[in-house]
Structure formats: C-alpha cells, structure tokens
Amino acid sequence: MTTPKPIDFSKVEVLRKRLGLSTVDMAAAMSVSRMTYYLWVRGGNMHPNQARRVHKVIRVLLDLLKSKQWYDEVVSLGPTVRRERLLALLD
C-alpha cells in the first residue's frame, strides 16, 4: 500500500471557507475531533489511514465546489442543517 501524499492544510482551509463550513463541520466530515483538525492545520502528523479518508473527503468537497450544487442548495441553510447535508453527501 502506498503512502498518501502530504496534505497542505492551508489549501484545505481555503476550501473550507469557500464552502462556508466551520472547523467543526470539516472535522465532522473528516471523522475526527475539532482538536485533531486544528492539529493538522498547524502541521501535525496524520496517520496514513486518516490521510486516505481526508483525501477522499477533499475530493468530494472539490467536486461540490466545482458543481456549484453546494451554493444553490445548502449555503443558505443553518449551520446544523448544512453539517447534516454535508455528512449525508459524504456517506
């Protein structure tokens, strides 16, 4: 099994903000705690299995951004509903 490429979390943060997601939303999407997400943003290490999951989540989020579906359907919703919608899309 190959080691996943390192993730540049400064770019992930740009993506998060463009999608109107909170750090809690991103942590939930990546199936980690908010503290773990903050650790990664600050350059902390990530287990290879976590990195694979995060890569998959990022691909889905990039697709959402490209399709504009997210803005049309979800951005105007409240944060709780938005997070639920995001998690449903990732399943």
Side-chain angles (χ1 to χ4, degrees):
M1 201 179 300
T2 62
T3 303
K5 293 182 355 184
I7 299 168
D8 182 349
F9 270 86
S10 65
K11 292 179 182 177
V12 174
E13 279 292 278
V14 170
L15 176 62
R16 177 184 70 77
K17 291 172 186 175
R18 291 283 311 270
L19 290 170
L21 300 173
S22 69
T23 54
V24 172
D25 296 336
M26 283 299 273
M30 295 177 179
S31 301
V32 298
S33 70
R34 180 180 47 86
M35 294 304 291
T36 298
Y37 180 79
Y38 279 128
L39 175 72
W40 294 342
V41 169
R42 291 189 312 262
N45 291 330
M46 174 184 301
H47 189 278
N49 288 338
Q50 290 174 317
R52 287 181 192 87
R53 166 76 177 154
V54 170
H55 278 286
K56 289 177 186 177
V57 169
I58 291 170
R59 279 193 294 275
V60 170
L61 295 178
L62 285 170
D63 288 344
L64 281 177
L65 187 64
K66 290 176 190 176
S67 74
K68 307 234 189 269
Q69 169 191 2
W70 185 255
Y71 290 107
D72 296 342
E73 297 179 14
V74 182
V75 164
S76 62
L77 300 173
T80 303
V81 176
R82 187 173 33 231
R83 183 173 29 257
E84 289 169 0
R85 196 67 149 298
L86 172 67
L87 295 176
L89 285 169
L90 292 170
D91 280 340

